[in-house]
Amino acid sequence: MIGAMRPVIIAANWKMNTTPADAGDLARAIAGRTREPDVVRVICPPYVCLAAVRDAVAGEGIGVGAQNVHQELAGAHTGEVSAPMLAGLATWVILGHSERRRDAGESDALVGRKLGRAVEAGLRPILCVGEQLAEREAGQAVAVVERQLAGALAGHDPATLLAAGLVIAYEPVWAIGTGRNASGADAAAMAEAIRAALRASGWGTGADDVPILYGGSCTSANIAEFLAEPSIDGALVGGASLKPDEMAGMVGRAAITAAARRAAGA
Ligand code: 13P
């Protein structure tokens, strides 16, 4: 499959923001401003807001996702949420976000176990990878992302992950919440490196079917730079995803890319 055939996805990561009392209103406002049928829209609120967002966007064609999932199915893990518990609440899940790697010490291997649980439960995973600033400055960005991918994907069958609709988000840590986004060209080079790494580890042409998103200080003002890159299939958005105006701008721009891809593939 050529890049032109991959979907265009705008995924909102609300992180630790919103409450059950206000999340529904925000989700409804975003839904009403982003009705673009060719763009895959996903909202990932905190666990406690999943039901409110699910209800608010019912019938809108918006996916609802969790921001994490535990690696075990059930048991003595106080404060945790397992993949089967998300049934009826979420159909997507973010895994390996750099804030979880930082705050909860998640390793690549642990992210890989979570990935298995997500897929078993029928959740569509968004697997996050990305280097720290010092790693980029040391010329290690590709090597870091290759290591993260190898660790998380080890033991997983590419065909199973493809069938689960795996999405990879390239989120350079230095760009997250800093207002300092990567350049479109740098993000595209990383997306190409990610697909090369998949190809080299047995994915073959399946690597070309995996959507790759950019994340890190993405806004309606800079999203065009990323969507202009054929190797980038959308964005995983943090801060700007809490603003309906910003979501409208980003999804609107994504619709242009989706239409161009459709025309190219027709
Ligand atoms: P910001 O868009 O706030 O930089 O966050 C990006 C991110 O971490 C999305 O997962």
Side-chain angles (χ1 to χ4, degrees):
M1 185 191 288
I2 56 170
M5 302 301 289
R6 289 190 299 267
V8 180
I9 302 169
I10 301 293
N13 176 8
W14 285 359
K15 306 191 180 184
M16 197 169 72
N17 295 292
T18 71
T19 68
D22 59 34
D25 284 347
L26 179 57
R28 243 185 310 274
I30 289 171
R33 302 281 311 276
T34 60
R35 291 197 181 102
E36 295 288 356
D38 286 346
V39 178
V40 177
R41 296 166 296 163
V42 186
I43 298 177
C44 303
Y47 287 132
V48 294
C49 300
L50 283 169
V53 171
R54 174 202 60 195
D55 293 347
V57 303
E60 290 280 3
I62 293 181
V64 178
Q67 299 172 13
N68 176 40
V69 81
H70 197 263
Q71 65 275 14
E72 300 292 348
L73 292 173
H77 300 287
T78 302
E80 298 288 351
V81 173
S82 71
M85 291 177 186
L86 294 172
L89 288 170
T91 54
W92 293 68
V93 64
I94 297 170
L95 297 172
H97 193 280
S98 66
E99 288 153 13
R100 292 211 51 83
R101 295 174 189 262
R102 179 196 69 199
D103 294 351
E106 291 192 4
S107 66
D108 299 325
L110 183 70
V111 174
R113 292 177 63 199
K114 291 172 181 245
L115 180 61
R117 293 303 187 199
V119 171
E120 282 166 18
L123 295 166
R124 187 166 182 184
I126 301 176
L127 172 62
C128 300
V129 295
E131 81 285 355
Q132 311 271 345
L133 183 58
E135 293 166 335
R136 171 154 288 266
E137 288 175 343
Q140 294 296 309
V142 170
V144 167
V145 166
E146 285 175 348
R147 188 202 68 220
Q148 291 171 332
L149 281 176
L153 299 181
H156 292 290
D157 175 26
T160 302
L161 295 182
L162 280 169
L166 175 70
V167 174
I168 294 176
Y170 167 61
E171 298 207 309
V173 178
W174 47 271
I176 295 177
T178 60
R180 178 186 170 191
N181 58 284
S183 70
D186 280 347
M190 293 301 292
E192 279 152 27
I194 288 167
R195 290 208 176 88
L198 293 178
R199 256 179 237 116
S201 57
W203 284 64
T205 56
D208 297 317
D209 296 343
V210 178
I212 298 182
L213 312 183
Y214 168 75
S217 298
C218 212
T219 67
S220 61
N222 62 30
I223 194 154
E225 183 174 349
F226 302 103
L227 290 171
E229 299 288 345
S231 57
I232 296 180
D233 305 305
L236 179 56
V237 186
S241 76
L242 293 160
K243 300 175 185 161
D245 282 356
E246 281 291 309
M247 284 296 286
M250 289 184 282
V251 174
R253 178 58 188 78
I256 295 172
T257 294
R261 289 185 177 196
R262 182 197 285 274

